[in-house]
Amino acid sequence: MKSWFFHQHYQKSVTDARIPNSWQLQIRAATSADLPGIAQIISESFHSQKGLWGWAFPLFRLGIYEDLRYRLASRTPHHVCLVAVDSSISGTDQILGTVELGIRFSDSWANVHKSFPYLSNLAVDPKYRRYGLASSLLISCEQVCQDWGFQDLYLHVLENNYQARQLYFKLGYRVHKVESHWNTFFLNSSRQIFLHKHLISKASQRDAT
């Protein structure tokens, strides 16, 4: 069973018609040097810098940085943070997007202790959206998931995040269940949708061709 955790120098070139020819785009496993850039992109994607929440933005970013630093340092075999980078700018890797993939355990009585791959923190720099980076990161996660020996992948998306839902449905994710909590009603917040995708095995893909 392969684990990308031990391949920090793994790189995969990305080809997409939407990506400018001037980019040298690759997807690779994140390193500690990438943490500031990752924290900035995730913070900008999930937390507002306007109004009353603007003053708290640096705190959100610091919390994200420390959480990710801890996970990267934990040396868990089934955890990887991927980054999409453009190395065409002065020979440095400018981080354009990121995603995390790890293992979670079911909390239901029927499937107690059952583990499953879970995708989180998919984020793309606002300046580089609509170039197919999110799709490329998701496809890379599917490949890692299969390398780990799994054929199913799960994630959460907010019900009112229509753009993200459209992307996931386009890539083959389907609704597993809709989750409602007490704060959904009292705080008028959006419900979370638990999505699932069954991955086609590489052997099946070869047989189909």
Side-chain angles (χ1 to χ4, degrees):
M1 182 179 297
K2 299 178 183 178
S3 173
W4 279 25
F5 182 87
F6 298 105
H7 298 274
Q8 294 291 345
H9 299 290
Y10 174 90
Q11 292 186 342
K12 172 190 173 184
S13 297
V14 178
T15 57
D16 191 295
R18 291 167 288 183
I19 297 174
N21 293 330
S22 59
W23 292 11
Q24 296 179 16
L25 187 65
Q26 294 179 323
I27 293 177
R28 60 168 174 77
T31 67
S32 58
D34 300 320
L35 289 177
I38 296 173
Q40 180 67 29
I41 290 176
I42 294 177
S43 300
E44 290 180 353
S45 298
F46 297 106
H47 300 289
S48 175
Q49 299 185 61
K50 300 178 181 179
L52 296 176
W53 289 106
W55 66 271
F57 183 82
L59 297 178
F60 286 128
R61 183 175 56 200
L62 178 61
I64 292 169
Y65 175 94
E66 291 297 336
D67 286 344
L68 183 55
R69 184 174 68 88
Y70 172 79
R71 289 193 292 274
L72 288 182
S74 65
R75 303 189 67 82
T76 302
H78 288 158
H79 172 268
V80 67
C81 176
L82 300 180
V83 288
V85 299
D86 177 15
S87 57
S88 65
I89 303 175
S90 302
T92 61
D93 285 351
Q94 180 178 354
I95 299 176
L96 310 183
T98 183
V99 68
E100 275 190 82
L101 182 65
I103 298 296
R104 290 195 176 185
F105 291 90
S106 174
D107 57 0
S108 69
W109 289 104
N111 296 302
V112 64
H113 301 313
K114 181 180 179 181
S115 61
F116 57 90
Y118 182 81
L119 188 151
S120 62
N121 287 335
L122 175 64
V124 175
D125 187 314
K127 299 187 296 296
Y128 298 99
R129 291 173 183 171
R130 300 190 180 279
Y131 288 109
L133 298 179
S135 297
S136 296
L137 286 164
L138 288 169
I139 293 172
S140 293
C141 284
E142 294 178 14
Q143 294 169 350
V144 176
C145 184
Q146 290 183 313
D147 285 345
W148 288 349
F150 295 93
Q151 294 298 324
D152 296 276
L153 185 54
Y154 296 84
L155 59 88
H156 278 100
V157 64
L158 290 176
E159 187 177 29
N160 63 1
N161 192 342
Y162 302 108
Q163 185 174 349
R165 286 170 55 186
Q166 184 179 21
L167 170 64
Y168 295 136
F169 291 152
K170 181 180 178 181
L171 291 179
Y173 288 84
R174 296 295 178 261
V175 175
H176 186 68
K177 65 179 178 178
V178 178
E179 301 177 348
S180 296
H181 303 286
W182 66 267
N183 59 340
T184 302
F185 302 98
F186 290 99
L187 301 180
N188 196 29
S189 59
S190 180
R191 294 185 299 177
Q192 283 194 325
I193 302 177
F194 195 40
L195 300 182
H196 162 253
K197 180 176 181 179
H198 181 70
L199 307 178
I200 301 175
S201 68
K202 297 178 181 179
S204 298
Q205 291 176 350
R206 288 194 297 268
D207 292 341
T209 57

